[in-house]
Amino acid sequence: MRLSECIGMDPAAVWGTDFCVYFYLGDFTERKRGGRKVSESEDARFRVVGIRKAPILQMKPEAAVRHRRIPLFSMAVLGMILFGCLFFGPFLEEKAVYMELGQAFAAPDFRFWFGTDTMGRDIFSMIWYGGRISLVIGFLATLISTGIAVVLGTVSGLAPGWMDAVLMRFTETFLSIPGLLLTVFFQAACGKTTVVSLSFVIGLAGWPAMAKVVRARVRQLKGCEFVIASKCMGGGFFHILRQHLAPNFFSSILFMMVMNIRSAIAAESTLSFMGIGLPLEIISWGSMLSLSGQALLSGAWWMIVIPGGFLAATLLCVTEIADAVRRRGGEMR
Amino acid sequence: MKGKKCIFYIGRKLLSILVSLWLLSFAVFFVARLAPGGPLVSYYGERAERMTAEEREMARERLLLTGSPVKQYVRWMKNALRGDFGISFKYKRSVPEVIAERLGNTLVLGGCGFVLIFGLAVLIGMLCAFFANSRTDRFLCRLGTILSAVPEFWVALVLILIFAVKLRVLPASGAYTIGIESFADRVRHLILPLTVVVSGHLWYYAYMVHNMLLDEMTKDYVLLAKSKGLGINRILFCHCMRNVLPGYLSIMAVSVPHILGGTYIVENVFSYPGIGTLCYESARYQDYNLLMVLAMLTGAVVIVCNLFAQMITDSFL
């Protein structure tokens, strides 16, 4: 067994070390299968049997560099989109909501850079103005699902066995329903959609997987001396969570948080596209795409390709960044 | 595991399925009833708006919608246990009938999609592992990242735009042309939805196979096999694949819900008459009875798949 495996780390995490030490840990598989007791002493089961160059260093140098690279390009593109939406978006409101019915379905030209939609609204302005909503929903939904996941995961990790079992069953039931279907149900129950209610619904569907990770980490941590000491000194639940637990499991859920932003933005656009998310008058990338049925009939490709392109670019950049976060924060598998 | 122990194991699993399903039915029932508006509109259409309070009450009575939610739930439960799932408000026919009509279509789309993903992922994963860190590997990984990051519905839209609107070679919606019910026609309707379903999920699993294989390649038995003079092909295909397969199977079983969820969206974009469009309609128009059965059906598939995955893990890993 490799060192990295017995301390539960990704091989990539043992980066600084030049060598991988191999331990012999008794025959785990035998013990598990036959229920046979292992009589060897702890020392005998845990001894170094070999050493060789860490596999990660067998990578070619350029591959290793690629492994650690910061996604500069993605960050730049995402930064540009964010900047444009946050700083130019508000100034373009007037143009984005103004309907010039005589100019409906105009193809991209000098006056309308990205063309106009079925109601004669300027798509270029709508992109920047509506992008704000899409991004806000992404962040807000992630905040909500992270909040639920952290609290529930910690409670479940610290709680006595039966409560833990109940909470985990509950989480698994949630986890087992496809996320988007869950959102559709909640959305149907919510009635009228606003930006906040939609982010709430999306956030409500996104927490189970993260809660499981938090719970696993908390269970590992709760036996640690510093947690016990804090408890003895009368530290409350939220104090322990904030001071002692959160800093330790934060790196494990960071990757999931970034991915959550991605899936929240995707969920918003999918729901709005299907006509159960944001209504047409609240401009977002998703609600712009909900006009695509008419766009297909009239062959107005710019109404589909341009908002979708921005959406896809954003999602791609977020994914790349999440991937970099995962590779850096070794202990995530 | 054998004999008594095995029976105990299966019994416990069955019990957990039942508990999960019951929880699910409970949750869906109450969440659905929180919604404003009501199923009367979906049953009577425009007429519901003009009804007097009395007529409304009578209509509710007829659709078994009177009483407190708890009472309604108990009544639904009793009927469901006897095999009576009520009628769909929108289609005005019994729920199993409505579902049975559409189930085949979804099974064809989902089943073909699943099999394609399952097979192609192994192939691509092996290809990538074989050319690890080469240009081919990197290109495939990059393509995979791009395709899996883009939302499915947009891929579907772009494909419709290209193949149905601009080139006019493939149909844009439905499962068959009305009037022509030939096999070839069905296949033509399947191509685009299937492409979207497969392209959205394939890469993720291919990547997984690739990672698992690379992980396996660092193990000592590979070193031994190499020192015995076996070629890399043989080691990869005969030795590593065997070790990777159980893990892969269990992951594929867990991922059924994701592929199912993806199929639902794709069905909606292509207005493909399947369970996905039905789900969407029932949630949107508060077709309670239909919604309940669909949720339970999806939930059951998911739970059984999870269980299956767990059993694979328990017995092989």
Side-chain angles (χ1 to χ4, degrees):
Chain A
M1 191 176 202
R2 214 181 302 140
L3 170 65
S4 55
E5 278 171 25
C6 46
I7 51 178
M9 281 167 102
D10 196 63
V14 212
W15 260 71
T17 58
D18 284 27
F19 292 97
C20 240
V21 186
Y22 286 73
F23 286 104
Y24 175 67
L25 283 167
D27 216 334
F28 274 129
T29 44
E30 267 305 308
R31 275 206 310 169
K32 230 169 77 183
R33 285 231 177 110
R36 186 172 61 92
K37 283 214 176 98
V38 180
S39 55
E40 295 154 294
S41 70
E42 286 293 305
D43 284 344
R45 278 180 45 218
F46 201 81
R47 61 173 198 267
V48 179
V49 292
I51 191 165
R52 79 166 178 214
K53 270 207 157 173
I56 199 82
L57 290 179
Q58 291 164 3
M59 258 190 196
K60 285 178 195 155
E62 77 256 34
V65 168
R66 211 175 305 124
H67 192 86
R68 259 172 98 72
R69 193 183 46 189
I70 302 170
L72 276 180
F73 181 72
S74 304
M75 279 161 85
V77 171
L78 188 66
M80 254 152 56
I81 293 176
L82 272 178
F83 185 81
C85 289
L86 292 181
F87 292 100
F88 294 130
F91 298 113
L92 292 170
E93 179 173 1
E94 219 170 297
K95 274 181 88 179
V97 295
Y98 179 63
M99 298 180 197
E100 200 173 338
L101 286 173
Q103 290 290 338
F105 286 122
D109 57 14
F110 282 112
R111 175 143 179 246
F112 302 105
W113 291 353
F114 289 167
T116 58
D117 70 356
T118 44
M119 290 181 268
R121 294 181 294 185
D122 176 29
I123 290 184
F124 179 78
S125 314
M126 284 169 81
I127 289 277
W128 301 110
Y129 179 69
R132 255 179 352 148
I133 305 277
S134 292
L135 294 170
V136 161
I137 288 180
F139 283 103
L140 205 60
T142 305
L143 216 63
I144 290 167
S145 48
T146 310
I148 300 176
V150 166
V151 171
L152 232 93
T154 317
V155 168
S156 173
L158 293 177
W162 64 269
M163 198 172 159
D164 180 41
V166 169
L167 280 174
M168 276 302 111
R169 185 114 303 262
F170 178 66
T171 312
E172 269 157 29
T173 314
F174 246 84
L175 195 60
S176 64
I177 311 169
L180 210 85
L181 207 60
L182 204 64
T183 327
V184 171
F185 286 154
F186 283 138
Q187 188 57 41
C190 250
K192 188 138 174 54
T193 320
T194 59
V195 174
V196 177
S197 80
L198 189 62
S199 356
F200 191 74
V201 164
I202 294 172
L204 214 55
W207 59 268
M210 213 193 286
K212 284 189 89 150
V213 174
V214 172
R215 171 187 167 268
R217 283 293 284 158
V218 168
R219 283 194 92 76
Q220 277 174 13
L221 290 167
K222 78 170 176 184
C224 286
E225 281 82 358
F226 55 87
V227 177
I228 298 170
S230 178
K231 243 185 219 163
C232 289
M233 284 188 264
F237 173 78
F238 281 101
H239 172 79
I240 295 180
L241 172 57
R242 202 175 56 238
Q243 293 292 330
H244 303 294
L245 297 177
N248 282 306
F249 64 62
F250 182 69
S251 65
S252 324
I253 60 167
L254 188 62
F255 161 69
M256 300 186 99
M257 278 169 70
V258 182
M259 282 310 263
N260 226 309
I261 296 178
R262 193 203 84 136
S263 40
I265 295 177
E268 182 272 324
S269 61
T270 309
L271 284 174
S272 302
F273 164 75
M274 279 166 39
I276 36 183
L278 294 172
L280 271 179
E281 61 269 15
I282 301 179
I283 301 170
S284 78
W285 291 338
S287 68
M288 287 167 81
L289 283 168
S290 65
L291 291 170
S292 54
Q294 294 164 46
L296 281 178
L297 286 180
S298 57
W301 56 267
W302 56 91
M303 278 173 57
I304 295 172
V305 174
I306 292 174
F310 269 83
L311 181 69
T314 309
L315 296 181
L316 203 57
C317 292
V318 176
T319 313
E320 285 281 294
I321 292 170
D323 213 37
V325 167
R326 181 180 56 87
R327 283 190 306 229
R328 289 246 153 173
E331 65 266 66
M332 271 300 303
R333 251 180 197 281
Chain B
M1 268 191 315
K2 54 191 173 220
K4 225 172 175 181
K5 215 171 169 190
C6 186
I7 292 171
F8 182 66
Y9 178 81
I10 292 174
R12 230 179 49 180
K13 293 288 172 204
L14 279 177
L15 198 70
S16 85
I17 293 185
L18 288 181
V19 171
S20 302
L21 274 182
W22 178 72
L23 270 177
L24 187 69
S25 77
F26 192 76
V28 173
F29 194 90
F30 286 100
V31 168
R33 266 152 186 79
L34 282 177
L40 289 188
V41 181
S42 76
Y43 191 87
Y44 292 102
E46 292 283 295
R47 256 191 312 146
E49 313 267 309
R50 294 193 300 272
M51 278 180 177
T52 59
E54 220 167 278
E55 278 174 330
R56 229 167 243 265
E57 205 45 51
M58 269 176 51
R60 284 188 165 275
E61 189 97 32
R62 229 156 58 84
L63 297 178
L64 301 178
L65 289 168
T66 45
S68 68
V70 181
K71 250 189 202 159
Q72 286 184 38
Y73 181 69
V74 172
R75 192 165 51 202
W76 182 86
M77 197 73 192
K78 266 189 197 153
N79 285 338
L81 285 177
R82 275 192 315 231
D84 171 19
F85 293 102
I87 59 161
S88 153
F89 300 148
K90 183 156 183 278
Y91 293 91
K92 305 184 178 63
R93 276 186 299 155
S94 83
V95 169
E97 238 177 80
V98 176
I99 293 179
E101 202 171 77
R102 305 253 193 136
L103 193 61
N105 288 333
T106 295
L107 282 183
V108 169
L109 180 61
C112 289
F114 191 79
V115 170
L116 274 177
I117 292 170
F118 189 87
L120 286 176
V122 172
L123 275 182
I124 294 180
M126 279 211 285
L127 205 69
C128 283
F130 188 71
F131 296 111
N133 277 322
S134 72
R135 214 159 268 191
T136 327
D137 178 23
R138 255 157 45 213
F139 172 73
L140 283 174
C141 279
R142 174 74 12 164
L143 189 70
T145 322
I146 293 174
L147 272 175
S148 59
V150 174
E152 277 166 331
F153 77 92
W154 189 63
V155 177
L157 281 178
V158 171
L159 285 181
I160 294 178
L161 192 67
I162 296 172
F163 290 101
V165 178
K166 296 286 174 202
L167 299 178
R168 294 177 188 283
V169 283
L170 290 169
S173 67
Y176 44 84
T177 319
I178 297 165
I180 318 167
E181 280 243 17
S182 71
F183 180 70
D185 184 56
R186 279 197 169 244
V187 171
R188 259 165 54 82
H189 278 85
L190 259 180
I191 294 175
L192 284 185
L194 206 55
T195 313
V196 179
V197 170
V198 172
S199 75
H201 290 98
L202 176 60
W203 307 95
Y204 181 69
Y205 300 108
Y207 195 60
M208 198 113 71
V209 172
H210 162 247
N211 277 356
M212 282 156 92
L213 275 177
L214 284 189
D215 218 39
E216 207 67 21
M217 287 297 278
T218 61
K219 295 216 169 130
D220 289 341
Y221 73 87
V222 175
L223 201 65
L224 177 72
K226 263 187 203 160
S227 65
K228 274 161 70 180
L230 289 183
I232 185 80
N233 289 347
R234 207 180 147 77
I235 297 175
L236 205 61
F237 295 115
C238 302
H239 296 231
C240 293
M241 254 345 265
R242 278 176 79 136
N243 282 326
V244 162
L245 223 51
Y248 179 59
L249 275 177
S250 94
I251 287 170
M252 284 312 282
V254 174
S255 61
V256 166
H258 296 277
I259 296 175
L260 204 65
T263 316
Y264 284 5
I265 299 170
V266 172
E267 278 181 14
N268 272 307
V269 181
F270 287 97
S271 11
Y272 186 87
I275 299 294
T277 36
L278 211 55
C279 258
Y280 165 72
E281 279 172 7
S282 63
R284 181 120 198 239
Y285 300 109
Q286 280 142 16
D287 200 339
Y288 293 153
N289 291 333
L290 191 56
L291 183 67
M292 286 299 283
V293 177
L294 286 173
M296 303 283 287
L297 205 65
T298 312
V301 169
V302 168
I303 293 168
V304 169
C305 287
N306 279 349
L307 216 62
F308 192 58
Q310 214 173 16
M311 276 158 85
I312 295 173
T313 318
D314 284 352
S315 49
F316 284 105
L317 302 174

